[in-house]
Each structure stands twice: as C-alpha cells, then as structure tokens.
Amino acid sequence: MTDDLNKRALVIGASGGIGSAVAGSLEGRGWDVVRLSRREHRFDVTDPNRVAEALEGLQGTFDLIFVAVGILAAPDGAPEKSLDAIEAESMQQVFAVNTIGPALILRHAADLLSRDRRGVIATLSARVGSIGDNKIGGWYSYRASKAALNQIVHGAAIELGRTHKQAICVALHPGTVETPFTAKYAGRHKTVPAVEAAKNLIALVEGLTPDQTGKFFDYAGKEIVW
C-alpha cells in the first residue's frame, strides 16, 4: 500500500482513541476513509442486525478494514484479579464486544474486500490474549475474550484465503496507548500517544504480505505467540 491515492479504508470504532487516530492519519495521507462508531453512528457491535444493516449498506470495496472495538471490563466493572471475582454477566458483556462483535464484522469481510487486489483486515487484539505469554494470570474475561478473538481472526484468514488470494487478515497488539480506555490500568507500563500508535500500526499494515495472513503481531511487527 505504497500509493495512497484512491485508497479506501473502513475504520470501525472510529470514535475511540486508536480508531480515531488511525482514521485521521489515513485521511491526512489522502485516503478515502469511512468511519463507523457507536458514539457517532449508533454502530453497536453487540447488535447483529445493526452490524448487518450498516455493513451491507456500504458501497464498493476497501483496501483496509481496521477494527478498533473493545472494552477492558463491563461498564462500572474492572478486570478480575482473581477467579472469585468472575461474574457471568460481566464476562458476557466483555465477550459480546471483544469477541462476538468482531466476528459479526468478519462475516461481511468477503464482500468488503476485492478479490482482485491486496486488502487487509486488521483487528485490534492484545498481548494479554496470548496464552503462551501469560505468566501472571488475572484479567480473565479480557484475556479470554482476546484469545477467542485471535482464534476467530485465524480461522477467518484461512477461509478468506480460499477466495481472496491477496487478502491479509491479522490480529494486532497496539502497545499500551494513552487513551481513556487504558487510563486506569496503565500502571508502570510505558504508554504512547494514540497518534504515534496509529502511525506504528499503519506502517505495520503496509508491510504485511499475504503469506503473513492469520497471524498475531505487535506494533513493531514482531509475531506474538498464541
């Protein structure tokens, strides 16, 4: 994606910190960007009918579909520090946004990408969703929802590859980004501004090749263990 002219992107979750920064960065480079968000467009990823209505109503295909939806915990809740903190309703809400929502979006991927040229679907995941990298436990709902998302992305990449030979479908870890999403939980982790994170992610996406589809990368382009 070296030539930005006539490039089209669909950014879902475009009112959030990372999604907004990605959309703005692409627009600054001349991309035609379609934004969808719950706040501005009532695009609720937990509502299958609304997802279908919005995505089926889009015209044409996209060179990039960037999915930047997610929650750390249910509203008024917090990531669990122990097993006895798990609550079924809260866990369901986290999975509804982090896992089922992106899956509903991916149902439409084949129609949103061209079969004749390179196209990328990049879905924000998180390193804590890596089972192999989990050394401290906790954050059960968030970790599990992202691990499940990674499996869905991997499966979607396999299926898309059968009909869209140049399609690239990946899960991305953006790092710890300075947004309201992470404000309470960044702790000692080094954070980066959303604009910088967006530039890192776009650079990563630009360098991906079809043989890297179905994989899980961090913002620096390093593959993360499942």
Side-chain angles (χ1 to χ4, degrees), residues 25-208:
S25 181
L26 291 171
E27 287 168 341
R29 295 171 50 169
W31 284 60
D32 174 21
V33 178
V34 175
R35 299 181 181 225
L36 286 176
S37 70
R38 181 170 184 170
R39 186 183 309 164
E40 298 176 5
H41 310 97
R42 297 182 181 179
F43 184 81
D44 183 356
V45 296
T46 68
D47 182 344
N49 293 328
R50 181 62 184 130
V51 171
E53 178 185 11
L55 297 184
E56 289 172 6
L58 296 173
Q59 301 297 315
T61 58
F62 297 88
D63 300 282
L64 170 63
I65 301 169
F66 193 91
V67 183
V69 298
I71 56 174
L72 283 169
D76 301 320
E80 309 95 342
K81 294 183 179 180
S82 61
L83 287 168
D84 60 12
I86 292 175
E87 296 181 354
E89 184 176 352
S90 295
M91 179 173 274
Q92 288 170 354
Q93 291 181 59
V94 173
F95 267 77
V97 176
N98 291 354
T99 309
I100 300 174
L104 293 174
I105 293 167
L106 285 167
R107 286 182 62 190
H108 301 271
D111 295 326
L112 296 172
L113 295 176
S114 171
R115 296 190 180 204
D116 302 324
R117 66 175 186 273
R118 180 183 183 274
V120 179
I121 303 176
T123 302
L124 286 189
S125 184
R127 187 182 297 276
V128 296
S130 165
I131 296 174
D133 190 63
N134 184 359
K135 303 296 192 298
I136 61 174
W139 287 47
Y140 290 97
S141 296
Y142 187 67
R143 285 184 186 275
S145 70
K146 291 298 188 179
L149 170 63
N150 290 347
Q151 179 71 282
I152 290 168
V153 169
H154 186 71
I158 294 171
E159 183 173 340
L160 274 171
R162 296 173 184 145
T163 55
H164 295 64
K165 302 302 182 182
Q166 299 183 62
I168 304 165
C169 183
V170 291
L172 302 181
H173 167 62
T176 305
V177 184
E178 294 173 10
T179 68
F181 186 83
T182 60
K184 296 180 181 179
Y185 307 105
R188 298 178 181 177
H189 293 283
K190 179 182 178 181
T191 60
V192 297
V195 172
E196 181 179 341
K199 290 180 179 178
N200 292 337
L201 293 170
I202 292 171
L204 167 60
V205 165
E206 287 183 322
L208 292 173

